[in-house]
């Protein structure tokens, strides 16, 4: 015999076996669907133990917040210092390369020729530049020194020319 046959034979459904009338489930469903006013919810009751556990957890969060902030700040400082150290290593390497270049005689000679216009014995140096006498002839009168220009502008400001 199946489950459905037992219900029909005994005349009892699953609701009757639990001690409720057969129509109680359908009435409960109708009440849920209906517009019956509901009771206002009662405030949630919190036990003293739950409040104590919450207070302990809050205290732990506060206790770990400052050390965590310090730890993160230290990690950022370490990262910054490592970056600075790497930049200094690169700078030291560049300086060591420059020292190695200056230890080479050919490099020193090239720099002396370029910067100081020094030459080997027997070489001739030609320096191309502007002759001050020819510059005055081409440009007309030479400009007075800066202090004379300033004094002239001060005198002109005191006595403006009349039109």
């Amino acid at each position: 015999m199946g489950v459905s046959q037992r219900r029909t034979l005994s005349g009892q459904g699953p609701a009757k076996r639990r001690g409720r009338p057969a129509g109680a489930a359908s009435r409960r469903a109708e009440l849920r669907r209906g517009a019956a006013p509901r009771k206002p919810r009662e405030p949630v009751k919190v036990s003293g133990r739950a409040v104590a556990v919450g207070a302990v957890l809050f205290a732990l969060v506060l206790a770990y917040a400052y050390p965590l902030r310090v730890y993160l700040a230290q990690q950022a400082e370490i990262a910054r210092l490592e970056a600075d150290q790497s930049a200094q290593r690169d700078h030291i390497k560049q300086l060591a390369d420059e020292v190695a270049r200056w230890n080479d005689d050919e490099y020193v000679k090239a720099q002396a020729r370029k910067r100081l216009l020094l030459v080997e014995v027997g070489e001739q140096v030609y320096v191309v530049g502007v002759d001050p006498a020819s510059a005055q002839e081409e440009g007309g009168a030479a400009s007075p020194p800066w202090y004379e220009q300033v004094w002239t502008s001060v005198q002109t400001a005191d006595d403006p020319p009349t039109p």
Side-chain angles (χ1 to χ4, degrees):
M1 252 198 322
V3 175
S4 59
Q5 291 176 348
R6 271 191 243 148
R7 286 186 193 154
T8 55
L9 289 178
S10 63
Q12 294 180 346
K16 290 240 177 183
R17 277 187 236 138
R18 291 189 197 131
R20 291 186 217 129
S26 62
R27 272 182 260 151
R28 204 175 315 121
E30 288 174 11
L31 285 176
R32 282 187 195 146
R33 281 185 246 132
R38 292 187 171 202
K39 295 180 195 176
R41 286 190 162 185
E42 294 181 19
V44 178
K45 294 181 181 177
V46 180
S47 67
R49 181 177 287 173
V51 170
V53 169
V56 167
L57 289 176
F58 183 72
L60 287 174
V61 167
L62 287 179
Y64 285 118
Y66 181 74
L68 181 64
R69 185 178 65 123
V70 169
Y71 172 76
L72 293 176
Q74 287 174 347
Q75 292 299 318
E77 180 73 12
I78 289 170
R80 187 187 61 80
L81 291 174
E82 286 175 348
D84 288 347
Q85 197 174 35
S86 174
Q88 287 177 353
R89 283 188 189 121
D90 292 342
H91 184 66
I92 289 170
K93 184 179 178 197
Q94 290 173 354
L95 293 176
D97 291 344
E98 187 176 342
V99 166
R101 279 185 277 153
W102 280 103
N103 288 333
D104 182 21
D105 290 338
E106 293 301 317
Y107 180 77
V108 172
K109 286 179 184 178
Q111 291 300 315
R113 286 177 187 268
K114 179 180 175 184
R115 295 181 182 187
L116 303 174
L117 302 175
L118 296 178
V119 292
E120 296 272 337
V121 176
E123 291 181 344
Q124 291 183 354
V125 177
Y126 295 101
V127 178
V128 179
V130 178
D131 183 25
S134 64
Q136 285 181 359
E137 292 172 3
E138 291 174 6
S143 63
W146 66 270
Y147 52 87
E148 287 183 14
Q149 292 176 357
V150 170
W151 184 249
T152 305
S153 68
V154 168
Q155 287 176 341
T156 307
D158 286 341
D159 299 322
T162 55

